[in-house]
Amino acid sequence: MSQVSVRDDEVDIVIAAIEPDLTSFLEEWRAVFSRFHLIIIKDPDIKGELKIPGGFNYDTYTKADIQQIIGPSNAATFSGYSCRYFGYLLSKKKYIISIDDDCIPAKDTKGIQVDAIAQHINNLLTPATPFFFNTLYDPFCKGADFVRGYPFSLRNGVSCALSCGLWLNLADLDAPTQALKPELRNTRYVDAVLTVPARAMMPMSGINIAFDRELVGPALLPSFKLAKEGKFRWETVEDVWTGMCVKVVCDHLGYGVKTGLPYVWRKERGNAIESLKKEWEGVKLMEEVVPFFQSMKLTPAAKTAEDCVIEIAAAVKEQLGRIDPVFTRAADSMVEWVQLWKTVKTRT
């Protein structure tokens, strides 16, 4: 891995507190997290005070803070896993990293604990190569390079805006797959990073991600809410929708997206069969969503992430809105998010 050269005060770690007691989670991450500022958002639907051990530099935000800043009518947008987006909104740092509170540090094949923050930052600091696929993975990783036949005109790469990490143990499968294979666990640690090719969509998981807020912050948005959305990853698709939005934005603006390292170890949580009752709506809707994003093309007038989101929202309402009202609501939420992003940023 190339040397990380970013100041600690350029990074915010955003944590969505789905459970009030964060003691075990933060103790597991102490060696990695204690150098950085944490933004902890308490899910507005959970009861009880947050329990946070000492020795961390953090700010916490609750339902009252959400309502004060964005108003009571929009507070529901930030419930469940979507509460993390409130942290994205308030952060003033260039780099944002977010890891779910049911994850602990993973160990690599040598038994060494993975520094997920350093790897995410390295992914973001080194160029991405979305316009021509390098078969030796990320050419900027230690021990790799561009293969024979890779055009020299493309070897400088482009800025990487999004880093999508992976998971050991409980992989981020959908509820139908996990219900059919209840014993399936991911034990394969693949020491590799890939740039996702331009125009290729992917199901981004919000469990373990990092992004450059200055490049694509407004495209990381809480807009797609299922009618029966629950409190487990199996029961949501908001991050998958967001991932396709931000991928379209990156493709249009000429940025890259990486996936692979770093890994986290994901603990057991929830019941896939029970979650299937809630997520099935999202599973069906994805069959409409994916072709839409695959064919999405933005106009030359869209020069910023905010511009891109507004254009995507208009297309969502026009092309998908007639299929299901959830898409119309998503489009409206996307426009509201951009307005909210601009309003909050002008205050700071």
Side-chain angles (χ1 to χ4, degrees):
M1 186 191 301
S2 61
Q3 190 67 34
V4 174
S5 57
V6 64
R7 299 192 315 272
D8 292 352
D9 63 2
E10 293 180 273
V11 178
D12 266 336
I13 299 175
V14 174
I15 299 165
I18 306 301
E19 301 289 341
D21 191 349
L22 294 176
T23 304
S24 176
F25 168 74
L26 288 175
E27 290 296 352
E28 291 280 3
W29 286 99
R30 181 177 290 279
V32 179
F33 283 4
S34 58
R35 293 166 43 202
F36 302 98
H37 177 250
L38 312 182
I39 296 179
I40 301 173
I41 312 297
K42 180 184 177 185
D43 175 8
D45 297 332
I46 65 172
K47 308 298 182 183
E49 295 297 318
L50 289 177
K51 295 181 180 179
I52 301 169
F56 291 93
N57 173 23
Y58 66 90
D59 290 302
T60 60
Y61 297 92
T62 64
K63 182 177 182 179
D65 299 307
I66 295 173
Q67 291 180 335
Q68 180 181 4
I69 293 175
I70 68 168
S73 61
N74 293 321
T77 302
F78 299 95
S79 65
Y81 282 107
S82 292
C83 69
R84 76 184 60 238
Y85 295 99
F86 189 72
Y88 300 169
L89 185 69
L90 296 187
S91 175
K92 302 174 185 176
K93 306 295 178 63
K94 179 173 176 58
Y95 301 107
I96 295 179
I97 297 167
S98 187
I99 295 174
D100 277 5
D101 65 355
D102 59 352
C103 298
I104 62 175
K107 293 183 179 180
D108 64 18
T109 54
K110 298 178 181 178
I112 300 173
Q113 181 171 303
V114 174
D115 186 339
I117 307 304
Q119 180 65 57
H120 271 309
I121 294 300
N122 187 77
N123 290 347
L124 293 173
L125 288 180
T126 54
T129 54
F131 304 116
F132 199 78
F133 188 77
N134 190 57
T135 52
L136 199 56
Y137 315 121
D138 186 343
F140 297 96
C141 285
K142 182 179 180 180
D145 209 325
F146 292 98
V147 299
R148 180 171 58 87
Y150 201 101
F152 279 85
S153 60
L154 296 177
R155 294 192 181 193
N156 287 336
V158 300
S159 297
C160 180
L162 176 65
S163 170
C164 302
L166 297 174
W167 344 265
L168 291 174
N169 192 41
L170 192 63
D172 192 16
L173 306 176
D174 53 39
T177 303
Q178 194 68 64
L180 286 171
K181 301 178 179 180
E183 304 303 319
L184 181 61
R185 297 295 180 270
N186 183 35
T187 59
R188 297 178 64 235
Y189 184 97
V190 180
D191 187 5
V193 178
L194 301 173
T195 293
V196 182
R199 307 301 301 173
M201 292 296 104
M202 61 171 192
M204 185 188 82
S205 167
I207 291 172
N208 171 24
I209 65 169
F211 60 95
D212 186 322
R213 185 184 62 83
E214 295 176 1
L215 296 182
V216 294
L220 276 289
L221 42 82
S223 61
F224 196 82
K225 282 275 190 181
L226 298 175
K228 297 180 180 179
E229 187 163 296
K231 299 295 183 182
F232 302 112
R233 279 294 181 191
W234 288 317
E235 300 169 356
T236 72
V237 290
E238 50 84 13
D239 51 346
V240 178
W241 173 274
T242 296
M244 285 188 271
C245 287
V246 74
K247 185 59 167 61
V248 168
V249 172
C250 285
D251 288 347
H252 177 74
L253 297 179
Y255 304 137
V257 175
K258 294 182 183 179
T259 184
L261 302 177
Y263 281 84
V264 295
W265 180 277
R266 191 166 174 239
K267 296 181 179 180
E268 311 290 321
R269 178 187 276 182
N271 181 296
I273 295 177
E274 288 301 313
S275 295
L276 181 57
K277 301 173 184 177
K278 297 179 180 179
E279 193 205 29
W280 185 243
E281 175 194 359
V283 172
K284 292 187 293 183
L285 290 174
M286 283 300 108
E287 301 302 320
E288 305 288 346
V289 168
V290 173
F292 166 80
F293 280 106
Q294 286 176 325
S295 63
M296 184 79 226
K297 292 184 178 179
L298 303 178
T299 71
K303 299 185 182 300
T304 65
E306 291 97 325
D307 296 338
C308 294
V309 171
I310 294 298
E311 285 199 8
I312 295 171
V316 168
K317 178 170 284 190
E318 179 183 351
Q319 299 178 37
L320 296 178
R322 58 179 176 269
I323 297 173
D324 192 291
V326 70
F327 294 118
T328 300
R329 293 194 295 270
D332 291 341
S333 293
M334 292 168 73
V335 174
E336 292 170 2
W337 170 257
V338 170
Q339 294 170 343
L340 184 60
W341 185 276
K342 291 179 177 179
T343 299
V344 170
K345 295 312 168 188
T346 56
R347 294 176 186 167
T348 57

